[in-house]
Amino acid sequence: MDKGFLPLTPANWDDLVELFGEHGAYGGCWCMFWRQTRQEFNQNGGERNKQALKALVDHGVILGILAYQDGKVVGWVSIAPREDFSSLERSRTLKRIDDQPVWSIVCFYAPKIQRGNMMATLIDYAVTYARENGAKIIEAYPSTSNAHVQSAELYMGRLSTFLVAGFEEQAPAGSKVVVRKYL
């Protein structure tokens, strides 16, 4: 039986480890970039970032969604209430555009063989999951670049994919743009 999409919990932690690999996605990030200060993130490196993420999972913190296909984990999207991303809250470039409560999509990961439509599928499920957990607004910060770039540079998504998913541009943010979907 296919698992489809599941929130990350202690029960499927090993699936995330399998997906990210021994050193963690994007060179040891372990999806902690937006959850720590830059100093903490840089000092922690791969293994300590992994331990920090595991501690959050073990405490029941909402972190994101795993995607499965044919019984194998194939993708990840990090989504949670914006205030859970302390570094995002401090960002001057990706600052809040108003005081409305939002859930933020801050990261995607899929092995190269699974990319393509995976991001669109992960967005759809992340929106559904957030809606089921009380979200009224989903926000994301995709790249505005249309040039060919390394996949790691698109970890927050590509603008065109979010627009197709029904998000609307709200404000420019450097090489990114704040987009929202109102539920």
Side-chain angles (χ1 to χ4, degrees):
M1 182 172 98
D2 199 11
K3 297 178 186 177
F5 296 87
L6 295 172
L8 179 61
T9 66
N12 60 9
W13 168 257
D14 289 342
D15 294 343
L16 181 74
V17 173
E18 177 185 332
L19 178 69
F20 281 6
E22 181 180 336
H23 300 290
Y26 304 121
C29 179
W30 288 98
C31 222
M32 291 300 295
F33 186 75
W34 293 110
R35 295 180 180 278
Q36 300 173 329
T37 67
R38 290 294 165 258
Q39 182 178 1
E40 288 170 329
F41 180 79
N42 292 328
Q43 287 176 346
N44 283 345
E47 187 58 32
R48 285 188 285 192
N49 281 335
K50 178 181 178 182
Q51 292 169 2
L53 186 70
K54 177 73 164 104
L56 291 172
V57 170
D58 288 344
H59 283 96
V61 176
I62 297 167
L63 296 167
I65 308 296
L66 289 168
Y68 296 85
Q69 187 174 28
D70 300 325
K72 182 164 176 60
V73 64
V74 295
W76 163 256
V77 57
S78 180
I79 182 168
R82 181 182 166 109
E83 57 270 13
D84 288 1
F85 301 107
S86 60
S87 191
L88 183 61
E89 287 287 74
R90 289 186 303 276
S91 175
R92 284 178 268 189
T93 306
L94 300 175
K95 60 187 174 196
R96 283 187 176 267
I97 58 174
D98 57 33
D99 62 355
Q100 296 192 62
V102 300
W103 279 49
S104 295
I105 296 174
V106 298
C107 182
F108 295 91
Y109 182 78
K112 194 171 195 172
I113 196 167
Q114 293 296 334
R115 293 183 192 139
N117 288 334
M118 179 58 67
M119 189 176 294
T121 302
L122 286 166
I123 290 170
D124 288 344
Y125 192 78
V127 168
T128 299
Y129 179 76
R131 178 186 290 125
E132 289 171 355
N133 285 278
K136 303 291 184 219
I137 304 169
I138 311 296
E139 195 171 83
Y141 320 93
S143 172
T144 58
S145 175
N146 288 323
H148 179 72
V149 294
Q150 296 293 325
S151 62
E153 295 175 47
L154 295 174
Y155 77 98
M156 294 182 89
R158 192 181 294 269
L159 176 59
S160 58
T161 308
F162 279 97
L163 295 177
V164 169
F167 284 71
E168 299 173 1
E169 293 183 53
Q170 302 294 305
S175 64
K176 301 190 181 308
V177 63
V178 177
V179 296
R180 281 187 173 175
K181 184 168 190 167
Y182 292 86
L183 307 178

